[in-house]
Amino acid sequence: MSLEDAKRTLSHAWEELERFNRDKDPLRLRNACEKGWLATILATDELLKVFNYKKPESYRERRRFLEDLEGKYFEVARLGLRDRFGARGYYLHIQGYHEGTLSKEEVEFELRKVEEYIRDIENIIKQAV
């Protein structure tokens, strides 16, 4: 997987949201949320790979690795990537996908947050290589 996979997955999330705008099927909002969450995971895994962490086996391990990375790299800490990862998990995966409680506007807001997260990770990776 790569950062391009994360971007492509996020693009699919936006497509689900567009489909929701046409047919108002609430499952589309849930699907958009889950794809946004997957894009967050893929971007996170790519960041960790660049900094020589093993592939995380769980969300908990991703958070632990991000916390470790924040202790080593000021920019990762300054951007609060661990907290942002956790927030996307809560809003997109739990509230959006599992509970189905996010409105269309809230899903849009969260997907924009994923765009920012991916962009920040991309900038960190560019600086690191």
Side-chain angles (χ1 to χ4, degrees), residues 98-114:
H98 285 290
E99 296 179 3
T101 58
L102 296 185
S103 68
K104 174 190 161 249
E105 293 76 21
E106 290 170 313
V107 173
E108 288 173 350
F109 180 78
E110 288 303 318
L111 293 181
R112 284 193 297 274
K113 294 278 191 176
V114 175

Side-chain angles (χ1 to χ4, degrees), residues 67-93:
E67 183 176 3
D68 184 71
L69 194 58
E70 284 184 344
K72 295 175 181 176
Y73 297 95
F74 172 77
E75 189 66 4
V76 175
R78 185 185 72 77
L79 292 168
L81 293 185
R82 180 185 175 277
D83 286 345
R84 290 165 67 190
F85 175 82
R88 300 297 69 75
Y90 176 71
Y91 289 112
L92 290 170
H93 187 60

Side-chain angles (χ1 to χ4, degrees), residues 13-21 29 32 104 107-108 111:
W14 284 111
E15 289 169 11
E16 282 292 327
L17 197 55
E18 283 303 312
R19 288 184 186 114
F20 171 80
N21 288 333
L29 287 180
K104 174 190 161 249
V107 173
E108 288 173 350
L111 293 181

Side-chain angles (χ1 to χ4, degrees), residues 3 46-47 50-51 69 72-79 81 118-129:
L3 213 49
E46 184 63 20
L47 174 70
V50 165
F51 285 96
L69 194 58
K72 295 175 181 176
Y73 297 95
F74 172 77
E75 189 66 4
V76 175
R78 185 185 72 77
L79 292 168
L81 293 185
I118 291 172
R119 190 170 35 252
D120 286 345
I121 285 177
E122 187 171 41
N123 289 334
I124 291 168
I125 289 172
K126 284 178 184 174
Q127 294 171 11
V129 291

